[in-house]
Amino acid sequence: MTATGSDHRIAVERALARIIAGQPEALRSDPDRVEGVLRDEVPRAAREIAAIAAVQRAGIGSRSAEEVLRVLREDTPVSVDLAAWAVGVWQRSGGAAAAAPIQPGAQPGQDDWIGDGAAGRWVADDSDLREPGPRAGQRHEGAVGTGGAAGTGGTAGTNDKDRAGGLHAPAQAPTLWQTASLWATANRGLVGAALAALLVALVAMRLFTPSVEITDVAVDSPFVGDGQNRAVRVSFNARNAIVKRVEVTIAQTNGKWRRTEWSYDVTPQERAQGVASSGSLSYGDIREPVRSVFLYRLIYDDGQRSAPFSREIVVLPVPSSRPVLKQITLPAQFRPGRWFEVGVAFDDPDGDAEALEVTVVSSTLTWKQRQFVDRHPEIKGLKSGSFNWRMYVDNSNQTVLDFVLLDARGNRSEPLRKELNFR
């Protein structure tokens, strides 16, 4: 006979069958683990899973079904029908002690399991389960069906679904993940030891694997285009490796360097301090900043190279000041058709004055050119001094001239104006 039953009970029984098939011995003595796995697989069947666990704790693995039911009645608040169902599940799953199945005196409609003395077992009260057949030599009463009568000698009204499946069908094999989870649960000690060994191996790998890293590249003073050498030092961390050389390459620049790559040996003292010299850099006079990207690598004793360390180095023009014209000294008389000299006194803190610019502001004579620039290499490097500027005029005239001193960076002094009378 069949009737509508509980999907939760069906799901719990199938899950327990898979668990017992995967780890019967390990799980038979551990109710907590069985209960935990069942809750993972059938999270909504809390009542049924609690009954399964209670039956296991009552000793279903070593006691008879009657003894287990008696213990549950005395010590555990599990209903009679739920206890009988749980005992039956353990018997069918192979997790109970070998004993004759029980026959509880349930009233019709009291629970979801119906005793069948003829079959000698319990049948789940669910429509997708196969009903037990008669024992040999016994006549099975016919089922009551639509349009039929009881006791007609026909077979029970079992459909194909009932014959094909149900709780008594062969249990499905556990998945690989389920088997692995059960094994890990049963062997916590081995799993812990394996994880500890893996951690030790990772630590040992880090401790003994060669590692070299450049942490900084520093120039020992502000870098300007004054032609002076400036030392460059490379800071690094080295573990399980001996640093032999520093290798330098110019990867990008808008200037002109004497060379684009070089290297320097690292001394034992530098190796111990973690700071090595990479030579020195210098740059001549410039008008605009020079930007360059340098790549630094460390070479190990076995020929390996560290990862490149990129460092941009900027060379700035030397700060400069304007030269100062202190005095323009004119001769006592200017006579046409003769050469004469004008004395020029100056100050230049940078020492890079190099030319005198003379401009005709006004004149009674027409000049072939209105401006003259005369270079005076003799004053280069002087921060204070004087020099002479020579001039020749053919005809008498009156002329006003502006004198300006220029330096190598294009700085201009304030103009100094003089009036000349040629008679």
Side-chain angles (χ1 to χ4, degrees):
M1 178 175 66
T2 60
T4 301
S6 169
D7 291 340
H8 288 167
R9 294 189 178 187
I10 296 173
V12 169
E13 179 164 355
R14 289 175 178 169
L16 183 63
R18 290 194 295 270
I19 294 171
I20 295 300
Q23 291 285 334
E25 298 301 327
L27 295 178
R28 189 172 288 132
S29 60
D30 196 340
D32 292 335
R33 288 167 55 195
V34 171
E35 184 176 7
V37 175
L38 287 177
R39 289 186 185 277
D40 290 340
E41 294 203 15
V42 195
R44 297 185 179 181
R47 182 169 170 264
E48 290 77 6
I49 294 173
I52 291 291
V55 168
Q56 187 178 9
R57 293 188 179 93
I60 191 64
S62 58
R63 293 176 174 175
S64 66
E66 289 78 6
E67 291 176 312
V68 170
L69 288 173
R70 185 171 59 254
V71 170
L72 293 178
R73 285 196 300 271
E74 294 174 355
D75 301 333
T76 307
V78 179
S79 64
V80 174
D81 64 310
L82 198 57
W85 168 78
V87 169
V89 171
W90 275 104
Q91 289 177 324
R92 289 187 295 279
S93 300
I102 61 173
Q103 303 281 343
Q107 297 299 322
Q110 180 180 356
D111 61 34
D112 294 334
W113 291 87
I114 301 171
D116 189 340
R121 66 179 185 177
W122 289 92
V123 181
D125 185 10
D126 200 294
S127 60
D128 70 344
L129 302 181
R130 184 186 306 174
E131 292 188 6
R135 289 183 179 178
Q138 284 189 333
R139 183 165 177 258
H140 189 279
E141 296 298 331
V144 178
T146 303
T152 60
T155 60
T158 307
N159 57 31
D160 292 340
K161 177 183 175 183
D162 296 328
R163 298 181 185 280
L167 292 180
H168 305 295
Q172 297 180 0
T175 65
L176 179 61
W177 174 252
Q178 290 171 335
T179 302
S181 299
L182 291 172
W183 183 90
T185 304
N187 299 274
R188 289 191 180 96
L190 290 177
V191 173
L195 291 176
L198 178 61
L199 180 61
V200 170
L202 292 175
V203 173
M205 183 181 299
R206 175 171 176 78
L207 290 177
F208 296 104
T209 300
S211 174
V212 176
E213 177 188 20
I214 297 176
T215 58
D216 191 25
V217 173
V219 182
D220 66 354
S221 64
F223 205 161
V224 296
D226 57 2
Q228 301 298 315
N229 288 328
R230 286 166 173 81
V232 182
R233 292 179 175 80
V234 178
S235 301
F236 61 91
N237 292 326
R239 184 177 65 244
N240 303 320
I242 299 175
V243 178
K244 287 292 189 180
R245 295 177 67 80
V246 178
E247 183 180 78
V248 188
T249 304
I250 300 178
Q252 182 180 354
T253 182
N254 65 340
K256 294 182 179 180
W257 298 85
R258 289 191 297 271
R259 51 183 177 174
T260 58
E261 59 181 30
W262 58 91
S263 64
Y264 284 87
D265 291 335
V266 178
T267 67
Q269 183 179 3
E270 291 175 333
R271 196 177 300 131
Q273 295 175 348
V275 179
S277 170
S278 65
S280 61
L281 297 174
S282 66
Y283 212 96
D285 188 31
I286 53 176
R287 301 293 186 270
E288 300 292 336
V290 173
R291 299 180 180 273
S292 306
V293 177
F294 291 74
L295 295 182
Y296 292 82
R297 291 182 177 88
L298 297 178
I299 304 175
Y300 311 175
D301 56 346
D302 61 358
Q304 296 188 63
R305 284 173 166 79
S306 68
F309 184 92
S310 178
R311 173 73 154 85
E312 183 184 48
I313 296 178
V314 180
V315 185
L316 298 175
V318 176
S320 61
S321 59
R322 300 169 64 179
V324 177
L325 276 178
K326 297 172 60 178
Q327 185 177 4
I328 299 295
T329 304
L330 303 177
Q333 290 184 347
F334 292 99
R335 293 182 181 276
R338 294 184 181 181
W339 284 95
F340 61 91
E341 292 185 347
V342 176
V344 180
F346 68 94
D347 287 333
D348 182 20
D350 300 329
D352 59 351
E354 64 178 11
L356 181 67
E357 177 186 276
V358 182
T359 304
V360 178
V361 178
S362 64
S363 178
T364 58
L365 182 70
T366 301
W367 293 70
K368 294 181 180 179
Q369 61 186 80
R370 305 289 294 184
Q371 191 176 73
F372 308 87
V373 177
D374 288 343
R375 296 193 175 274
H376 293 267
E378 71 274 13
I379 66 174
K380 186 176 182 180
L382 297 179
K383 294 186 177 182
S384 181
S386 63
F387 61 94
N388 292 327
W389 175 64
R390 299 186 70 196
M391 184 177 180
Y392 181 87
V393 178
D394 290 332
N395 302 309
S396 299
N397 65 85
Q398 291 182 342
T399 301
V400 177
L401 301 178
D402 275 350
F403 295 84
V404 175
L405 189 62
L406 308 176
D407 67 12
R409 290 179 177 80
N411 294 316
R412 302 168 59 87
S413 71
E414 290 291 336
L416 193 59
R417 181 166 294 181
K418 289 293 182 177
E419 182 177 349
L420 288 72
N421 293 314
F422 298 90
R423 295 187 176 89

